[in-house]
Structure formats: C-alpha cells, structure tokens
C-alpha cells in the first residue's frame, strides 16, 4: 500500500525520542516500510531522513515557538494550521491508499478530507475541548478512529464508545528491550520531565522504600524540573539523562523495579511496556490505562499516594521478572500492533 503518515509537529520524528508519540510514529514508519509498504512521513522537516519526508513545517515547532505548545499562542496556531492544511491537500492529491493520522490536529478530521482519502486516526492524548467536537463529528464509513486503551476510549466517549472506534494498543520490538534475568536492586523511572508524569513522586517513594533511583528522559518543563525535581537529586537519587534507545534499554534492564507515576489520565504508558519487556515489574499509580497495561506484572496504588507507592515497590519486587516479560510478548509486540494497523487500513479502504 501507499501509506501517508501524518505526525505531530512539536518535536522531530527522530531518536532519541522526545516522548511516546514521537517513538510511536517513528516505529510505525519503520515497521510499515519493513513490511514492504510505500510510506511517506508528513512531519517536521528535521525528522529522520531515513524515511521519505514530506515536510509539514520546515523544523519542529518547539524550536521556532519554544514553550508555546499549551499557551494558545496565535502565531503558533497559524503556523501549524497552515502547514497541516497544505499537507492534507497534498495527501488528497497524492494517490495514497490510506492516511494514518497521528497529528492531534482538527484539520485531517474534516469530512471532506476523510471522504477523499481512507483515514485511520489514532488518538494519543486524553480528550480536550479544542479537539473533542471535531473527533466526535468525524466518524464516517471510511474513517476509523483508534484509542490506545479501553480507558482512553471511555474518556473520549463517556456515554458509549461508537462501533467504528477501536483499541489499538501500542507495541514494541522485544529484541530492542532485551530481557535481563536479574536486577541490581535499584529502581528506575523514565519519561518526559513534566508535572503530569510525576517524577517527583517517584523520588519520594524510592526514598521511603530505601531504594536507589535513576530518572531518565528529556526535561520538557524546565521550571518544574528546577523547582521540584533537581533539588531532590543527590546520593542514591540521580538523573541519567536523555539516552538513545539501545543505551536506555541496557540501563533500564539493570534495575529491579520500574516506577510509573502518571498524574493525568494516561492514555497508554509505553515506557512501562518497554521496562516490562526487560523484565522489570512495575510499581505505580492507577491512572488512566495503567491497570490495562500493567496487569499482573505490577502493583498499583492511588495517584499521589507516595507512602502507598513505597509499599507497592516492595510488593512489585516479589513478582518474578518472567511475568512482565511474558505479558509484553502476549499483548504488546510490534508485530501484533502492525497487524492491527494493516487490518484497520483494509477496513477503511473497504468502507
């Protein structure tokens, strides 16, 4: 198939990944290409050039509009809208068999666009007012919508999930996150350094439990980092930086437990799956999709309860490392994910 992938534009679609959405889109492009599909990635122009890139904007907008993503900046909105509108027009005229929309933009959801090109839209964030109405109004026979978990879908459609909406769980390549039979007794946390991800809770719980902890990930919110996380570093609590995938897999795999501390309605939790593939049981907060993702591979407590999280660390450490690894192989592999994507593309085209 000739497949157009439309990406979010805040960060480049290139490793080391700024977050789960960038990793998702990169691995989707890589996986579909490996299966023989003709893939064009519509993304920021500074994305990974191993792919065929059709630039939506010249460079990712965090570079040209730093810190403006959630501030309602009119200049950023106009810049992004102009790029997406032109990209959608090129997709419509480009002879593509299907569009997989991961953009978080309202423009690819307009009915005249989903009618022109069979479309699969994957939602990656909890519902918010600027997009909710457009998502709800966009359902047509040739448009399939996916959420990353059942909890995520219920958040978007609390009165009942429509028939044309399905769950498309994220998947990883287990070979990229090798299983390690033993840990070193430490805890690890990974994600964007942002308040909604809760690394400060992970630090507090690890201290209570008496475990050393290493934090990994990009510093997305510098003010939050400087005020609430950086002062906690020192001794057994350290920051390991923003690593490439292979380095991160080795460092996560050495640990004994993964701390997962979402403070919002987490749509999925790709970082937890990556750690589970390495054999790490999870201690975390029961927010959003956490229970669906972690299951028997961890222990979850109420969000924000650092004392309970410290207790959950001990309980998680008792779980054999084969349990989280087996759960990933059963539910969250890249091949299973790509099979579902191809099935959704076929459904959209047939409709």
């Amino acid at each position: 198939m000739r497949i157009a992938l439309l990406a979010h534009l805040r960060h480049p679609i290139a490793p080391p990944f700024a977050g789960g959405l960038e990793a998702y889109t990169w691995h989707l492009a890589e996986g579909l290409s490996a299966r023989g599909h003709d893939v064009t990635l519509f993304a920021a122009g500074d994305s990974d050039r191993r792919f065929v890139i059709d630039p939506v904007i010249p460079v990712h907008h965090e570079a040209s509009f730093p810190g403006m993503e959630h501030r309602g900046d009119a200049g950023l909105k106009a810049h992004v809208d102009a790029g997406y509108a032109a990209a959608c027009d090129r997709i419509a005229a480009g002879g593509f068999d299907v569009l997989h929309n991961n953009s978080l933009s309202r423009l690819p959801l307009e009915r005249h666009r989903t009618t022109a090109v069979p479309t699969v839209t994957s939602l990656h964030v909890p519902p918010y007012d600027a997009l909710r109405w457009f998502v709800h109004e966009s359902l047509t026979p040739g448009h399939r919508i996916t959420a990353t978990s059942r909890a995520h879908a219920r958040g978007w459609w609390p009165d009942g999930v429509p028939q044309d909406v399905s769950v498309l769980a994220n998947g990883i390549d287990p070979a990229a996150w090798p299983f390690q039979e033993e840990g070193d007794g430490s805890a690890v946390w990974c994600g964007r350094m942002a308040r909604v991800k809760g690394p400060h809770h992970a630090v507090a719980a690890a201290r209570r439990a008496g475990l050393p902890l290493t934090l990994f990930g990009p510093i997305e919110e510098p003010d939050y980092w400087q005020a609430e996380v950086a002062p906690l570093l020192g001794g057994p609590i350290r920051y390991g930086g923003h690593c490439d995938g292979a380095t991160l897999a080795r460092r996560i795999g050495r640990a004994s437990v993964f701390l997962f501390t979402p403070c919002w309605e987490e749509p999925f939790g790709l970082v937890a799956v990556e750690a589970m593939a390495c054999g790490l049981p999870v201690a975390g907060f029961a927010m959003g999709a956490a229970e669906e993702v972690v299951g028997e591979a961890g222990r979850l407590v109420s969000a924000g309860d650092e004392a309970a999280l410290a207790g959950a660390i001990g309980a998680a450490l008792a779980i054999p490392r084969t349990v989280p690894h087996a759960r990933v192989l059963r539910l969250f592999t890249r091949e299973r994910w790509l099979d579902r994507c191809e099935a959704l593309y076929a459904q959209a085209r047939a409709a």
Side-chain angles (χ1 to χ4, degrees):
M1 281 185 282
R2 291 198 67 224
I3 302 172
L5 300 182
L6 187 60
H8 192 44
L9 304 177
R10 184 178 185 184
H11 300 288
I13 306 304
F17 303 114
L21 180 50
E22 290 73 31
Y24 179 104
T25 308
W26 189 95
H27 284 291
L28 183 61
E30 194 274 335
L32 291 172
S33 298
R35 288 189 170 203
H37 298 291
D38 181 359
V39 176
T40 300
L41 178 59
F42 290 78
D46 52 346
S47 295
D48 195 334
R49 285 292 172 173
R50 77 185 66 195
F51 305 123
V52 175
I53 304 292
D54 189 320
V56 180
I57 55 177
V59 298
H60 66 287
H61 70 68
E62 189 63 25
S64 48
F65 293 83
M68 293 296 167
E69 168 80 352
H70 302 296
R71 298 188 181 182
D73 183 78
L76 172 59
K77 182 177 183 299
H79 177 61
V80 168
D81 280 358
Y84 276 132
C88 287
D89 289 343
R90 295 196 299 276
I91 291 168
F96 291 98
D97 295 309
V98 68
L99 163 63
H100 193 157
N101 169 34
N102 299 282
S103 69
L104 310 183
S105 169
R106 72 192 187 285
L107 298 179
L109 301 174
E110 294 173 345
R111 288 198 175 196
H112 72 278
R113 299 190 189 280
T114 58
T115 300
V117 182
T119 299
V120 174
T121 291
S122 289
L123 301 172
H124 297 278
V125 295
Y128 60 99
D129 290 343
L131 194 61
R132 186 196 307 263
W133 182 89
F134 296 97
V135 169
H136 286 188
E137 289 297 307
S138 70
L139 284 168
T140 60
H143 184 207
R144 293 292 187 269
I145 297 179
T146 72
T148 56
S149 62
R150 295 188 301 275
H152 189 210
R154 289 194 299 270
W156 278 94
W157 287 275
D159 296 328
V161 179
Q163 182 177 352
D164 289 338
V165 175
S166 59
V167 171
L168 176 62
N170 296 349
I172 64 165
D173 178 3
W177 300 90
F179 176 73
Q180 298 194 33
E181 293 186 0
E182 294 184 2
D184 61 7
S186 71
V188 67
W189 182 100
C190 182
R192 294 181 285 117
M193 298 298 168
R195 184 178 298 278
V196 297
K197 297 297 186 177
H200 60 288
H201 292 302
V203 172
R207 286 196 186 279
R208 282 176 177 262
L211 264 66
L213 169 69
T214 304
L215 307 170
F216 293 100
I219 298 171
E220 181 175 281
E221 297 177 1
D223 291 345
Y224 161 72
W225 168 262
Q226 290 295 337
E228 299 191 39
V229 183
L232 304 176
L233 301 178
I237 309 299
R238 61 182 297 270
Y239 174 51
H242 185 198
C243 304
D244 64 83
T247 301
L248 185 62
R250 288 194 301 273
R251 293 181 178 176
I252 287 178
R254 289 201 297 256
S256 292
V257 63
F258 184 77
L259 305 189
F260 184 46
T261 53
C263 299
W264 69 333
E265 292 299 325
E266 183 68 53
F268 186 70
L270 188 62
V271 291
V273 172
E274 292 164 347
M276 288 159 57
C278 296
L280 274 67
V282 178
F285 291 157
M287 286 288 285
E291 291 180 318
E292 291 177 54
V293 170
V294 174
E296 72 280 2
R299 297 293 181 268
L300 302 176
V301 300
S302 298
D305 191 336
E306 295 168 352
L309 181 58
I313 290 173
L317 284 167
I319 297 172
R321 290 173 72 97
T322 53
V323 172
H325 180 67
R327 184 171 177 83
V328 173
L329 296 184
R330 188 170 72 252
L331 299 175
F332 303 123
T333 65
R334 185 178 80 157
E335 295 310 306
R336 180 185 177 95
W337 170 52
L338 291 172
D339 287 346
R340 282 279 292 121
C341 288
E342 289 177 329
L344 286 161
Y345 301 160
Q347 292 170 17
R349 295 179 69 198

